[in-house]
Amino acid sequence: GQNIDQPTEMTATEGAIVQINCTYQTSGFNGLFWYQQHAGEAPTFLSYNVLDGLEEKGRFSSFLSRSKGYSYLLLKELQMKDSASYLCAVMDSNYQLIWGAGTKLIIKP
Amino acid sequence: GAVVSQHPSRVICKSGTSVKIECRSLDFQATTMFWYRQFPKQSLMLMATSNEGSKATYEQGVEKDKFLINHASLTLSTLTVTSAHPEDSSFYICSARNIAGDYNEQFFGPGTRLTVL
């Protein structure tokens, strides 16, 4: 079966760095997405990785290792507004997104 | 960027009534739209994939006669929850795939919160 695993909840301090991991097992692979979702709102796109390596976009970076079925989202210089759920999703061979359960990130002052 | 709208944003209805939710891609054509449901503190659950001009493909366990999906144009898909019951109360989110985009990205609507009394 297809499976996406990520931690349920993480806590970090304002100004610090946090890494949210995601491991996956899917039928085929056409890219991995990270989305941010604030409570009561729809997800918003953060990043996309289809090749191995690190993609950096401002305070956010995303890493992918296809051989390990592993990705992480790195958030630097954490701000209170970064408190949200972070969803990892893999696009399978049918171009369908398989979603992880999300990681709730709590930022403390 | 690509924008997807959803209407209504919030609806409260009585048990047994039907509710229609619209999903529109405002600045791009979407041959494929997706309907998700999200219960509190849970992840997105794909309900169905909607392709323009054809019947929707429903995920296992989703009743196609209860959740009617119509994708009549390249910019509009509708989800009708028929004979809604309290257990149908949830956050319904649509997304649209921009085939002209770089990597089949899905753009999400703002969601519709349905409360069935």
Side-chain angles (χ1 to χ4, degrees):
Chain A
Q2 309 204 91
N3 195 49
I4 310 283
D5 285 319
Q6 51 182 130
T8 304
E9 187 174 298
M10 299 182 71
T11 302
T13 304
E14 189 177 15
I17 299 173
V18 70
Q19 177 175 311
I20 303 174
N21 296 323
C22 171
T23 58
Y24 64 89
Q25 289 179 306
T26 57
S27 304
F29 180 83
N30 278 301
L32 185 144
F33 295 80
W34 283 96
Y35 284 85
Q36 181 191 60
Q37 185 178 25
H38 285 99
E41 299 180 12
T44 55
F45 170 80
L46 288 178
S47 68
Y48 171 76
N49 294 69
V50 68
L51 299 176
D52 289 352
L54 187 69
E55 294 281 342
E56 297 186 78
K57 189 184 294 185
R59 294 189 298 116
F60 294 5
S61 303
S62 56
F63 171 84
L64 174 68
S65 169
R66 288 171 296 170
S67 62
K68 295 181 179 179
Y70 167 71
S71 172
Y72 67 72
L73 179 69
L74 191 71
L75 292 76
K76 303 176 184 177
E77 301 170 17
L78 286 170
Q79 301 175 10
M80 297 303 292
K81 67 178 182 180
D82 297 329
S83 293
S85 287
Y86 291 84
L87 307 175
C88 172
V90 173
M91 187 168 281
D92 68 9
S93 56
N94 295 318
Y95 293 95
Q96 181 163 307
L97 281 179
I98 310 300
W99 293 87
T103 298
K104 182 178 180 181
L105 179 62
I106 300 169
I107 309 297
K108 295 185 175 180
Chain B
V3 179
V4 176
S5 70
Q6 229 177 294
H7 178 79
S9 59
R10 185 181 295 268
V11 60
I12 301 172
C13 69
K14 292 182 179 180
S15 184
T17 59
S18 293
V19 175
K20 179 185 282 189
I21 303 170
E22 290 187 351
C23 178
R24 293 181 185 271
S25 57
L26 298 185
D27 51 2
F28 66 98
Q29 293 184 332
T31 56
T32 303
M33 290 184 172
F34 303 87
W35 287 97
Y36 293 88
R37 181 167 51 182
Q38 188 176 35
F39 293 105
K41 299 184 179 181
Q42 295 186 23
S43 189
L44 298 172
M45 290 174 48
L46 180 66
M47 298 175 66
T49 301
S50 167
N51 292 296
E52 186 265 338
S54 64
K55 291 184 178 180
T57 302
Y58 290 82
E59 295 300 300
Q60 194 171 5
V62 178
E63 300 174 56
K64 61 180 181 180
D65 294 330
K66 181 171 181 62
F67 298 98
L68 302 178
I69 292 174
N70 183 279
H71 194 158
S73 77
L74 286 172
T75 59
L76 173 65
S77 177
T78 61
L79 167 68
T80 302
V81 183
T82 62
S83 187
H85 292 283
E87 58 265 29
D88 298 323
S89 298
S90 187
F91 192 44
Y92 291 86
I93 308 173
C94 74
S95 70
R97 178 187 293 162
N98 183 2
I99 60 171
D102 292 336
Y103 34 77
N104 290 296
E105 182 183 343
Q106 288 186 28
F107 296 90
F108 286 87
T112 297
R113 187 160 300 283
L114 172 63
T115 303
V116 185
L117 303 176

Short mmCIF file of all heavy atoms in Angstrom, two decimals, chain A residues 33 35 37 40-45 48 57 87 91 94-97 99-102, chain B residues 34 36 38 42-44 46 49 59 91 93 97 103-106 108-111 113:
data_model
loop_
_atom_site.label_atom_id
_atom_site.label_comp_id
_atom_site.label_asym_id
_atom_site.label_seq_id
_atom_site.Cartn_x
_atom_site.Cartn_y
_atom_site.Cartn_z
N PHE A 33 5.61 17.23 -2.53
CA PHE A 33 5.17 18.59 -2.22
C PHE A 33 5.12 18.79 -0.71
O PHE A 33 4.82 17.87 0.04
CB PHE A 33 3.75 18.83 -2.76
CG PHE A 33 3.63 18.79 -4.26
CD1 PHE A 33 3.57 17.58 -4.94
CD2 PHE A 33 3.55 19.96 -4.99
CE1 PHE A 33 3.44 17.54 -6.31
CE2 PHE A 33 3.41 19.94 -6.36
CZ PHE A 33 3.36 18.73 -7.02
N TYR A 35 3.10 21.47 1.86
CA TYR A 35 2.08 22.50 1.97
C TYR A 35 2.01 22.97 3.41
O TYR A 35 2.25 22.20 4.35
CB TYR A 35 0.70 21.97 1.56
CG TYR A 35 0.49 21.80 0.07
CD1 TYR A 35 0.89 20.65 -0.58
CD2 TYR A 35 -0.12 22.81 -0.67
CE1 TYR A 35 0.69 20.49 -1.95
CE2 TYR A 35 -0.33 22.66 -2.04
CZ TYR A 35 0.09 21.50 -2.66
OH TYR A 35 -0.11 21.35 -4.01
N GLN A 37 -0.68 24.60 6.18
CA GLN A 37 -2.11 24.79 6.40
C GLN A 37 -2.36 25.39 7.77
O GLN A 37 -2.08 24.76 8.80
CB GLN A 37 -2.88 23.49 6.26
CG GLN A 37 -4.40 23.67 6.34
CD GLN A 37 -5.17 22.38 6.16
OE1 GLN A 37 -4.66 21.29 6.41
NE2 GLN A 37 -6.41 22.49 5.70
N GLY A 40 -8.33 26.01 9.94
CA GLY A 40 -9.53 26.54 9.31
C GLY A 40 -9.33 27.07 7.91
O GLY A 40 -10.25 27.65 7.33
N GLU A 41 -8.13 26.89 7.39
CA GLU A 41 -7.85 27.39 6.04
C GLU A 41 -7.40 26.25 5.13
O GLU A 41 -7.05 25.17 5.59
CB GLU A 41 -6.77 28.47 6.09
CG GLU A 41 -7.17 29.68 6.91
CD GLU A 41 -6.07 30.74 6.95
OE1 GLU A 41 -5.10 30.63 6.16
OE2 GLU A 41 -6.19 31.67 7.75
N ALA A 42 -7.41 26.51 3.84
CA ALA A 42 -6.95 25.51 2.88
C ALA A 42 -5.42 25.49 2.84
O ALA A 42 -4.76 26.46 3.23
CB ALA A 42 -7.52 25.82 1.49
N PRO A 43 -4.83 24.41 2.36
CA PRO A 43 -3.37 24.34 2.25
C PRO A 43 -2.82 25.33 1.24
O PRO A 43 -3.47 25.63 0.24
CB PRO A 43 -3.12 22.90 1.78
CG PRO A 43 -4.36 22.16 2.10
CD PRO A 43 -5.47 23.14 1.99
N THR A 44 -1.62 25.82 1.50
CA THR A 44 -0.93 26.67 0.54
C THR A 44 0.41 26.03 0.20
O THR A 44 1.08 25.46 1.07
CB THR A 44 -0.70 28.09 1.08
OG1 THR A 44 -0.02 28.00 2.34
CG2 THR A 44 -2.01 28.82 1.28
N PHE A 45 0.78 26.12 -1.04
CA PHE A 45 1.98 25.48 -1.57
C PHE A 45 3.24 26.10 -0.99
O PHE A 45 3.39 27.32 -0.91
CB PHE A 45 1.98 25.61 -3.10
CG PHE A 45 3.26 25.21 -3.77
CD1 PHE A 45 3.53 23.87 -3.99
CD2 PHE A 45 4.17 26.15 -4.18
CE1 PHE A 45 4.70 23.48 -4.63
CE2 PHE A 45 5.34 25.78 -4.82
CZ PHE A 45 5.61 24.44 -5.06
N TYR A 48 8.34 22.05 -3.93
CA TYR A 48 8.21 20.87 -4.77
C TYR A 48 9.61 20.33 -5.04
O TYR A 48 10.51 21.08 -5.42
CB TYR A 48 7.54 21.23 -6.08
CG TYR A 48 7.54 20.14 -7.13
CD1 TYR A 48 6.68 19.05 -7.01
CD2 TYR A 48 8.40 20.19 -8.24
CE1 TYR A 48 6.66 18.06 -7.99
CE2 TYR A 48 8.38 19.20 -9.21
CZ TYR A 48 7.51 18.14 -9.08
OH TYR A 48 7.49 17.16 -10.03
N LYS A 57 14.19 28.23 -0.56
CA LYS A 57 13.29 29.32 -0.93
C LYS A 57 13.09 30.19 0.30
O LYS A 57 12.22 29.94 1.13
CB LYS A 57 11.96 28.74 -1.42
CG LYS A 57 11.01 29.77 -2.03
CD LYS A 57 9.68 29.14 -2.40
CE LYS A 57 9.77 28.13 -3.50
NZ LYS A 57 8.43 27.63 -3.91
N LEU A 87 2.02 19.76 5.65
CA LEU A 87 1.59 18.53 5.00
C LEU A 87 2.59 18.12 3.94
O LEU A 87 2.97 18.92 3.08
CB LEU A 87 0.21 18.73 4.35
CG LEU A 87 -0.89 19.28 5.23
CD1 LEU A 87 -2.15 19.54 4.41
CD2 LEU A 87 -1.20 18.33 6.36
N MET A 91 3.26 12.74 -5.25
CA MET A 91 2.49 12.49 -6.46
C MET A 91 2.90 11.13 -7.01
O MET A 91 4.09 10.92 -7.33
CB MET A 91 2.73 13.60 -7.48
CG MET A 91 1.84 13.53 -8.71
SD MET A 91 1.92 15.02 -9.69
CE MET A 91 0.84 16.10 -8.77
N ASN A 94 0.16 7.81 -11.06
CA ASN A 94 -1.08 8.27 -11.70
C ASN A 94 -1.27 9.77 -11.54
O ASN A 94 -2.36 10.28 -11.81
CB ASN A 94 -2.29 7.54 -11.12
CG ASN A 94 -2.27 6.06 -11.42
OD1 ASN A 94 -1.95 5.66 -12.54
ND2 ASN A 94 -2.60 5.24 -10.44
N TYR A 95 -0.22 10.45 -11.10
CA TYR A 95 -0.27 11.90 -10.86
C TYR A 95 -1.32 12.27 -9.82
O TYR A 95 -1.89 13.36 -9.85
CB TYR A 95 -0.49 12.66 -12.17
CG TYR A 95 0.69 12.56 -13.10
CD1 TYR A 95 0.72 11.59 -14.10
CD2 TYR A 95 1.79 13.39 -12.94
CE1 TYR A 95 1.83 11.46 -14.92
CE2 TYR A 95 2.90 13.27 -13.76
CZ TYR A 95 2.91 12.31 -14.75
OH TYR A 95 4.01 12.18 -15.55
N GLN A 96 -1.56 11.35 -8.90
CA GLN A 96 -2.47 11.62 -7.80
C GLN A 96 -1.65 11.91 -6.55
O GLN A 96 -0.65 11.24 -6.29
CB GLN A 96 -3.38 10.42 -7.56
CG GLN A 96 -4.39 10.61 -6.47
CD GLN A 96 -5.52 9.59 -6.56
OE1 GLN A 96 -6.16 9.44 -7.58
NE2 GLN A 96 -5.77 8.91 -5.45
N LEU A 97 -2.08 12.89 -5.77
CA LEU A 97 -1.36 13.24 -4.54
C LEU A 97 -1.75 12.30 -3.42
O LEU A 97 -2.93 12.10 -3.13
CB LEU A 97 -1.65 14.68 -4.14
CG LEU A 97 -0.89 15.77 -4.89
CD1 LEU A 97 -1.31 17.14 -4.38
CD2 LEU A 97 0.61 15.60 -4.72
N TRP A 99 -1.39 11.97 0.56
CA TRP A 99 -1.14 12.94 1.62
C TRP A 99 -0.70 12.28 2.92
O TRP A 99 -1.23 11.24 3.32
CB TRP A 99 -2.41 13.74 1.91
CG TRP A 99 -2.80 14.63 0.78
CD1 TRP A 99 -3.58 14.31 -0.29
CD2 TRP A 99 -2.41 15.99 0.60
NE1 TRP A 99 -3.70 15.39 -1.12
CE2 TRP A 99 -3.01 16.43 -0.60
CE3 TRP A 99 -1.63 16.88 1.34
CZ2 TRP A 99 -2.83 17.74 -1.08
CZ3 TRP A 99 -1.46 18.17 0.87
CH2 TRP A 99 -2.05 18.59 -0.33
N GLY A 100 0.25 12.92 3.59
CA GLY A 100 0.56 12.57 4.96
C GLY A 100 -0.49 13.19 5.88
O GLY A 100 -1.29 14.03 5.45
N ALA A 101 -0.45 12.79 7.13
CA ALA A 101 -1.44 13.28 8.10
C ALA A 101 -1.15 14.69 8.56
O ALA A 101 -1.99 15.31 9.21
CB ALA A 101 -1.51 12.33 9.29
N GLY A 102 0.06 15.17 8.25
CA GLY A 102 0.40 16.53 8.65
C GLY A 102 1.14 16.59 9.97
O GLY A 102 0.94 15.74 10.84
N PHE B 34 -10.14 18.29 -7.90
CA PHE B 34 -10.18 17.30 -6.83
C PHE B 34 -11.05 17.82 -5.69
O PHE B 34 -11.02 19.00 -5.37
CB PHE B 34 -8.77 17.02 -6.30
CG PHE B 34 -7.80 16.56 -7.35
CD1 PHE B 34 -7.08 17.50 -8.10
CD2 PHE B 34 -7.59 15.22 -7.61
CE1 PHE B 34 -6.18 17.09 -9.08
CE2 PHE B 34 -6.70 14.80 -8.58
CZ PHE B 34 -6.00 15.74 -9.32
N TYR B 36 -11.77 17.26 -1.65
CA TYR B 36 -11.25 16.69 -0.42
C TYR B 36 -12.22 16.98 0.72
O TYR B 36 -12.97 17.95 0.70
CB TYR B 36 -9.90 17.31 -0.05
CG TYR B 36 -8.75 16.98 -0.99
CD1 TYR B 36 -8.51 17.77 -2.11
CD2 TYR B 36 -7.90 15.91 -0.74
CE1 TYR B 36 -7.43 17.49 -2.96
CE2 TYR B 36 -6.83 15.63 -1.58
CZ TYR B 36 -6.61 16.42 -2.69
OH TYR B 36 -5.55 16.16 -3.52
N GLN B 38 -11.97 17.20 5.06
CA GLN B 38 -11.04 17.21 6.18
C GLN B 38 -11.80 17.36 7.48
O GLN B 38 -12.47 18.37 7.70
CB GLN B 38 -10.00 18.34 6.04
CG GLN B 38 -8.90 18.30 7.08
CD GLN B 38 -7.85 19.37 6.84
OE1 GLN B 38 -8.17 20.46 6.39
NE2 GLN B 38 -6.59 19.05 7.13
N GLN B 42 -7.39 16.19 11.37
CA GLN B 42 -7.01 15.11 10.48
C GLN B 42 -6.52 15.67 9.16
O GLN B 42 -6.72 16.84 8.86
CB GLN B 42 -8.21 14.17 10.24
CG GLN B 42 -8.67 13.43 11.48
CD GLN B 42 -9.74 12.41 11.17
OE1 GLN B 42 -9.87 11.95 10.05
NE2 GLN B 42 -10.52 12.07 12.19
N SER B 43 -5.89 14.81 8.38
CA SER B 43 -5.35 15.28 7.11
C SER B 43 -6.44 15.28 6.04
O SER B 43 -7.58 14.88 6.29
CB SER B 43 -4.20 14.38 6.67
OG SER B 43 -3.55 14.94 5.54
N LEU B 44 -6.07 15.76 4.89
CA LEU B 44 -6.99 15.79 3.77
C LEU B 44 -7.33 14.37 3.32
O LEU B 44 -6.46 13.52 3.23
CB LEU B 44 -6.36 16.54 2.60
CG LEU B 44 -6.01 18.00 2.83
CD1 LEU B 44 -5.22 18.52 1.65
CD2 LEU B 44 -7.26 18.82 3.03
N LEU B 46 -9.00 12.54 0.10
CA LEU B 46 -9.51 12.70 -1.26
C LEU B 46 -10.84 11.97 -1.39
O LEU B 46 -10.94 10.79 -1.07
CB LEU B 46 -8.51 12.17 -2.27
CG LEU B 46 -8.92 12.27 -3.74
CD1 LEU B 46 -9.02 13.73 -4.16
CD2 LEU B 46 -7.91 11.53 -4.62
N THR B 49 -12.04 12.56 -7.90
CA THR B 49 -11.33 13.30 -8.93
C THR B 49 -12.32 13.60 -10.04
O THR B 49 -13.00 12.70 -10.55
CB THR B 49 -10.16 12.47 -9.49
OG1 THR B 49 -9.28 12.14 -8.41
CG2 THR B 49 -9.40 13.25 -10.55
N GLU B 59 -13.26 7.87 -4.66
CA GLU B 59 -12.40 7.02 -3.84
C GLU B 59 -13.25 5.97 -3.13
O GLU B 59 -14.47 6.12 -2.94
CB GLU B 59 -11.65 7.87 -2.82
CG GLU B 59 -10.66 8.84 -3.45
CD GLU B 59 -9.60 8.14 -4.28
OE1 GLU B 59 -8.85 7.32 -3.72
OE2 GLU B 59 -9.53 8.42 -5.49
N PHE B 91 -15.02 20.05 6.67
CA PHE B 91 -14.41 21.10 5.86
C PHE B 91 -14.15 20.49 4.48
O PHE B 91 -13.42 19.51 4.35
CB PHE B 91 -13.10 21.53 6.52
CG PHE B 91 -12.47 22.78 5.98
CD1 PHE B 91 -13.23 23.90 5.71
CD2 PHE B 91 -11.10 22.84 5.75
CE1 PHE B 91 -12.65 25.07 5.23
CE2 PHE B 91 -10.51 24.01 5.27
CZ PHE B 91 -11.28 25.12 5.01
N ILE B 93 -12.77 20.89 0.70
CA ILE B 93 -11.79 21.70 -0.03
C ILE B 93 -11.66 21.15 -1.45
O ILE B 93 -11.56 19.94 -1.65
CB ILE B 93 -10.40 21.65 0.64
CG1 ILE B 93 -10.48 21.99 2.12
CG2 ILE B 93 -9.45 22.61 -0.07
CD1 ILE B 93 -9.17 21.78 2.86
N ARG B 97 -5.95 21.31 -10.89
CA ARG B 97 -4.62 21.09 -11.44
C ARG B 97 -4.44 21.95 -12.67
O ARG B 97 -5.26 21.93 -13.58
CB ARG B 97 -4.44 19.62 -11.81
CG ARG B 97 -3.08 19.31 -12.44
CD ARG B 97 -3.02 17.88 -12.94
NE ARG B 97 -3.06 16.94 -11.85
CZ ARG B 97 -3.36 15.65 -12.00
NH1 ARG B 97 -3.68 15.19 -13.19
NH2 ARG B 97 -3.35 14.84 -10.97
N TYR B 103 4.71 21.71 -12.86
CA TYR B 103 4.79 20.36 -12.30
C TYR B 103 3.46 19.87 -11.76
O TYR B 103 3.38 19.36 -10.67
CB TYR B 103 5.86 20.29 -11.21
CG TYR B 103 6.03 21.53 -10.38
CD1 TYR B 103 5.14 21.87 -9.39
CD2 TYR B 103 7.11 22.38 -10.61
CE1 TYR B 103 5.31 23.01 -8.62
CE2 TYR B 103 7.29 23.52 -9.85
CZ TYR B 103 6.40 23.83 -8.86
OH TYR B 103 6.58 24.97 -8.10
N ASN B 104 2.42 20.03 -12.56
CA ASN B 104 1.13 19.48 -12.17
C ASN B 104 0.69 19.92 -10.77
O ASN B 104 0.05 19.16 -10.06
CB ASN B 104 1.16 17.94 -12.21
CG ASN B 104 1.22 17.42 -13.62
OD1 ASN B 104 0.31 17.60 -14.40
ND2 ASN B 104 2.31 16.78 -13.95
N GLU B 105 1.06 21.11 -10.41
CA GLU B 105 0.72 21.59 -9.07
C GLU B 105 -0.78 21.71 -8.93
O GLU B 105 -1.49 22.06 -9.86
CB GLU B 105 1.36 22.95 -8.83
CG GLU B 105 1.09 23.53 -7.45
CD GLU B 105 1.69 24.90 -7.29
OE1 GLU B 105 2.57 25.26 -8.09
OE2 GLU B 105 1.27 25.62 -6.38
N GLN B 106 -1.25 21.40 -7.73
CA GLN B 106 -2.65 21.58 -7.41
C GLN B 106 -2.81 22.88 -6.62
O GLN B 106 -2.08 23.12 -5.67
CB GLN B 106 -3.17 20.41 -6.57
CG GLN B 106 -3.32 19.12 -7.33
CD GLN B 106 -3.97 18.04 -6.50
OE1 GLN B 106 -4.74 18.31 -5.59
NE2 GLN B 106 -3.64 16.79 -6.80
N PHE B 108 -5.37 25.13 -4.33
CA PHE B 108 -6.50 24.85 -3.48
C PHE B 108 -7.44 26.05 -3.37
O PHE B 108 -7.01 27.20 -3.32
CB PHE B 108 -6.03 24.46 -2.08
CG PHE B 108 -5.46 23.08 -2.02
CD1 PHE B 108 -4.13 22.86 -2.30
CD2 PHE B 108 -6.27 22.01 -1.69
CE1 PHE B 108 -3.60 21.58 -2.26
CE2 PHE B 108 -5.75 20.72 -1.64
CZ PHE B 108 -4.41 20.51 -1.93
N GLY B 109 -8.72 25.74 -3.30
CA GLY B 109 -9.70 26.75 -2.94
C GLY B 109 -9.63 26.99 -1.45
O GLY B 109 -8.97 26.25 -0.72
N PRO B 110 -10.33 28.02 -0.97
CA PRO B 110 -10.27 28.38 0.45
C PRO B 110 -11.06 27.45 1.36
O PRO B 110 -10.96 27.54 2.58
CB PRO B 110 -10.85 29.80 0.48
CG PRO B 110 -11.74 29.85 -0.72
CD PRO B 110 -11.09 29.00 -1.75
N GLY B 111 -11.84 26.55 0.78
CA GLY B 111 -12.58 25.59 1.58
C GLY B 111 -13.99 26.04 1.92
O GLY B 111 -14.30 27.25 1.91
N ARG B 113 -16.87 25.27 4.92
CA ARG B 113 -17.18 24.58 6.18
C ARG B 113 -18.68 24.29 6.22
O ARG B 113 -19.49 25.20 6.24
CB ARG B 113 -16.76 25.42 7.37
CG ARG B 113 -16.91 24.67 8.69
CD ARG B 113 -16.08 25.28 9.81
NE ARG B 113 -14.66 25.28 9.51
CZ ARG B 113 -13.86 24.22 9.58
NH1 ARG B 113 -14.34 23.05 9.92
NH2 ARG B 113 -12.58 24.34 9.32
#
